[in-house]
Amino acid sequence: MTSSTSTTAVVGATGKTGRRVADLLEQRGHAVRRLARGTIPAFDWQRPDGWRDALDGVERLYAAYVPDLAAPGSEAAITRFTAVARVAGVRHIVLLSGRGEDGARRCEDILLASGVPATVVRASWFTQNFTEGMLRDAVDTGVLALPAGDVREPFIDVDDIAAVAVEALTGTGHEGRIHEVTGPESLTFTELTELLSEIHGRDIRYLPVGFDEFHAAVAAEDGPDVATMLTELCREVFDGRNVQPTAGVLDALGRPPRDARTVLAEALRAGARV
Ligand SMILES: NC(=O)c1ccc[n+]([C@@H]2O[C@H](COP(=O)([O-])OP(=O)(O)OC[C@H]3O[C@@H](n4cnc5c(N)ncnc54)[C@H](OP(=O)(O)O)[C@@H]3O)[C@@H](O)[C@H]2O)c1
């Protein structure tokens, strides 16, 4: 176990995983420095000049990179970030990564070769994308348009990701390891929306769309760069490579991951918009 008097930084501490990682660490008595663009000190992936101050006195850290490790510029950012962390004396980095993304894999390699002891938590699609993430508004409209065909995805509970990250930060023997984590079963998006419909008592439908149609829809809302990044990501991760669930959560935590039904029902009880 790590000492609870050392400071653990959480980069992306207002986000889905970071908030949970920070909460869990504090519940276990660890001193946490929550970092995001609006915190003091601030941390902005676009402003490397501020990273050294943000990491001052930090012994361990969890990082969720934004927008995505597969996005242009991520390799340079992770190279610089790990160098700054090393100079700041950080002794362990846990980095969130995306399963099946070639660009993310290159960033993982940079991290693991950086000289700073590190662990990768490589996650499948979040179940919470539907309740607090990028698909929440689409779910509200009742139509979920994605270029995912009938591929299956082992959706993972973000609380499970946070638990694995905290175990990696506070337990022993995680340096140099990649925890590839997924939920317990693979569902199609049709099956997932059937589950949402059942839990919420209203019709929520999955609409498979082509990549060009998806790109145009995202570009209209978020601009062409975001549209291109998300479309290329979908093209990669929905080609069947990520269908099989892994034993990553069980291996790291000694208990199985939570299934999508449990997570979505809990989110409804907790008052999440769905
Ligand atoms: N969604 C999925 O299914 C999935 C699956 C696998 C991996 N991932 C990976 O998960 C990561 C995102 O993690 P998440 O979902 O926990 O976060 P999130 O909910 O998307 O929130 C983003 C966090 O990053 C902060 N942030 C935004 N822009 C920033 C910037 N320029 N510099 C510094 N911080 C910034 C936000 O806070 P402020 O806005 O307050 O700064 C917030 O704390 C991405 O790397 C993604 O590839 C996602």
Side-chain angles (χ1 to χ4, degrees):
M1 291 286 283
T2 60
S3 148
S4 59
T5 54
S6 63
T7 297
T8 304
V10 174
V11 176
T14 54
K16 292 184 292 299
T17 61
R19 177 170 56 78
R20 290 168 164 90
V21 169
D23 288 350
L24 214 47
L25 284 166
E26 284 182 347
Q27 283 161 23
R28 296 183 185 179
H30 295 273
V32 174
R33 182 177 303 162
R34 295 177 190 247
L35 295 171
R37 288 170 299 179
T39 56
I40 300 173
F43 184 98
D44 189 335
W45 287 108
Q46 302 300 323
R47 296 169 180 261
D49 291 350
W51 297 352
R52 179 64 184 82
D53 283 349
L55 299 187
D56 193 43
V58 166
E59 192 162 301
R60 286 156 209 282
L61 70 85
Y62 170 80
Y65 179 77
V66 174
D68 192 289
L69 289 176
S74 60
E75 290 170 51
I78 295 301
T79 301
R80 188 160 178 178
F81 179 69
T82 51
V84 171
R86 188 178 180 152
V87 169
V90 174
R91 287 169 41 198
H92 190 184
I93 298 174
V94 175
L95 178 70
L96 176 64
S97 181
R99 193 178 184 218
E101 300 175 20
D102 291 343
R105 196 67 65 91
R106 290 191 287 275
C107 290
E108 295 174 7
D109 291 343
I110 290 167
L111 173 76
L112 293 171
S114 69
V116 182
T119 309
V120 172
V121 178
R122 185 192 285 160
S124 58
W125 251 61
F126 302 169
T127 307
Q128 280 87 347
N129 287 340
F130 301 94
T131 60
E132 52 189 273
M134 58 186 162
L135 297 177
R136 185 181 61 181
D137 291 343
V139 170
D140 274 352
T141 70
V143 180
L144 210 78
L146 281 172
D150 57 2
V151 77
R152 291 182 173 277
E153 173 67 30
F155 300 100
I156 185 165
D157 173 20
V158 173
D159 282 302
D160 281 341
I161 297 173
V164 171
V166 168
E167 168 57 29
L169 285 166
T170 61
T172 53
H174 296 280
E175 287 88 351
R177 291 185 62 187
I178 296 172
H179 292 297
E180 183 154 334
V181 294
T182 73
E185 59 177 349
S186 293
L187 303 173
T188 63
F189 280 80
T190 299
E191 289 168 340
L192 197 284
T193 49
E194 285 169 359
L195 205 51
L196 280 168
S197 301
E198 182 193 323
I199 291 171
H200 297 285
R202 65 186 171 86
D203 193 31
I204 300 164
R205 190 167 55 91
Y206 166 55
L207 178 67
V209 295
F211 292 112
D212 290 346
E213 196 181 336
F214 177 73
H215 187 280
V218 178
E221 287 287 318
D222 302 313
D225 291 348
V226 174
T228 299
M229 185 194 76
L230 289 179
T231 305
E232 291 317 307
L233 259 182
C234 289
R235 212 187 281 278
E236 249 187 330
V237 302
F238 293 145
D239 71 352
R241 71 182 68 186
N242 284 348
V243 169
Q244 287 304 320
T246 67
V249 171
L250 182 64
D251 288 346
L253 301 178
R255 58 135 176 106
R258 300 198 311 158
D259 62 23
R261 176 185 290 276
T262 304
V263 173
L264 294 171
E266 185 180 274
L268 179 66
R269 282 198 300 276
R273 271 173 56 206
V274 263

